[in-house]
Amino acid sequence: MTSANSAIPARPDPVWDEVSALPIQGDDSALIPMSLTPLPIRVYPAYAKLGIPGAIPECYVRPEVHRRLLMAAHSLPAGVSLVVLDAWRPWRVQQYLFETLFEAIGTQHPEYDEAALLTHTREFVSLPSRDPQAPSPHLTGGAVDVTLCDQEGRLLEMGTGFDEAITASHTDHFERHAPQDERQRLAHKNRRLLHHVMLTAGFTNLPSEWWHYDFGDQLWAWYRGEAAALYGPAEVETLESRWRKQLCTPH
C-alpha cells in the first residue's frame, strides 16, 4: 500500500475504441441507493441539485461498488468523509451533458472541426450510449463521482469544482504544475488522499477528472488490463417495472 502522500502517477487517456471493444461478463446485480449509507459517506446528488433535466435525487451503485466505497471511506482520516456526487446516470442526463459541453466548446473554439470538438468533449463527458456492448460508464452503476468534506459538511479544497472542464481538473495537475499558494497546496494534498483511498479500494481513475472513479465497467477493465468488464448497462427499478414483473410471474 502506498502512502497517501505519494505522487499521483501520470496515466494515458483512454483509447475509447479499445475500451468499448472489451467484452462484458454481464453481472446482473441490482442497483442500490447510497442515501441509506451511514457516515463516513455523504450523498449529494449534484445534478439533481443543479436542476439538470432528467437528473434523479439519488445516487445508485452496484452492491460491490457500494462495499468498496465504504472501504475507501473508512480508510480516510478522522473528521474527513467521502462525498458521492453522482453514480448511475440516466441516459438522457448523459446526452444533455454531452450536448451542452459540445456546444459550449464549439462556441469557445470556432476553429475546431467536428473531430476536434468530439475529442475535447470526450475529455470530460463520455459519449451517451445505451449499447449493451459499449454503454456509457455512468449507465452501468460502476462509475462514481466523488470528493471529500470535513465533519461539518464543508467540501475540501480540490483545486477546481466538480465538472469544471479545464485542464486544472486533470487528476495529476498539481504533480505537473507545482502549487503556487496555500489553496493549491491543500488541493494537491486532498487529491492525493482521495486518489489513494479510492485506488486502494480497487477503483481506477479517469485521468482528466480528479472526481471520477470506476469499478467493474469497461473503463475500469481497460485501465487494469482485465480481460472483461463486469457491468453492462443497468436500470433503476421503478414501480411500473416491479408491477410488470409481478403480473408476469405465475401465482
Side-chain angles (χ1 to χ4, degrees):
M1 182 181 297
T2 58
S3 166
N5 293 319
S6 297
I8 297 170
R11 289 190 173 88
D13 292 330
V15 180
W16 287 107
D17 287 345
E18 294 180 6
V19 172
S20 61
L22 285 167
I24 298 172
Q25 290 182 7
D27 182 304
D28 60 357
S29 55
L31 297 170
I32 61 174
M34 290 295 305
S35 60
L36 297 176
T37 308
L39 292 174
I41 291 182
R42 295 173 183 256
V43 180
Y44 187 84
Y47 293 131
K49 301 289 186 182
L50 289 170
I52 300 297
I56 57 175
E58 179 60 275
C59 293
Y60 290 95
V61 297
R62 302 282 188 155
E64 183 62 17
V65 175
H66 180 266
R67 187 180 76 83
R68 289 174 182 274
L69 286 171
L70 280 169
M71 288 172 55
H74 283 296
S75 65
L76 288 167
V80 179
S81 293
L82 189 69
V83 183
V84 180
L85 300 168
D86 190 40
W88 179 82
R89 184 183 295 168
W91 179 83
R92 61 188 178 277
V93 175
Q94 189 73 26
Q95 184 178 41
Y96 173 88
L97 296 173
F98 188 89
E99 291 176 350
T100 301
L101 182 57
F102 187 92
E103 182 179 342
I105 293 173
T107 300
Q108 186 71 24
H109 295 280
E111 74 278 12
Y112 286 175
D113 61 15
E114 190 84 6
L117 279 173
L118 182 61
T119 297
H120 286 281
T121 303
R122 293 186 79 175
E123 184 179 358
F124 294 101
V125 182
S126 64
L127 278 173
S129 172
R130 290 180 285 192
D131 183 345
Q133 303 305 316
S136 304
H138 276 282
L139 190 63
T140 70
V144 291
D145 294 330
V146 293
T147 189
L148 301 171
C149 74
D150 65 18
Q151 59 190 355
E152 295 179 349
R154 294 173 297 197
L155 296 178
L156 300 192
E157 180 60 61
M158 303 302 283
T160 70
F162 166 57
D163 255 2
E164 280 196 61
I166 57 177
T167 57
S169 291
H170 292 192
T171 310
D172 68 350
H173 176 78
F174 295 115
E175 309 294 346
R176 294 179 289 105
H177 305 280
Q180 299 299 305
D181 53 32
E182 182 59 23
R183 172 178 170 271
Q184 291 187 355
R185 282 189 285 274
L186 282 172
H188 189 197
K189 176 183 175 182
N190 292 333
R191 285 193 192 188
R192 284 182 170 185
L193 175 60
L194 179 62
H195 187 268
H196 167 72
V197 299
M198 292 297 287
L199 264 66
T200 300
F203 292 89
T204 59
N205 170 247
L206 179 63
S208 57
E209 299 179 350
W210 60 257
W211 56 84
H212 180 108
Y213 289 85
D214 298 272
F215 181 86
D217 59 18
Q218 288 172 307
L219 194 54
W220 167 86
W222 189 81
Y223 274 111
R224 284 176 56 95
E226 302 286 344
L230 304 177
Y231 307 136
E235 289 293 337
V236 171
E237 184 181 55
T238 64
L239 184 58
E240 179 184 3
S241 67
R242 188 183 305 167
W243 281 345
R244 287 184 183 277
K245 289 178 184 177
Q246 292 170 344
L247 291 171
C248 290
T249 301
H251 294 285

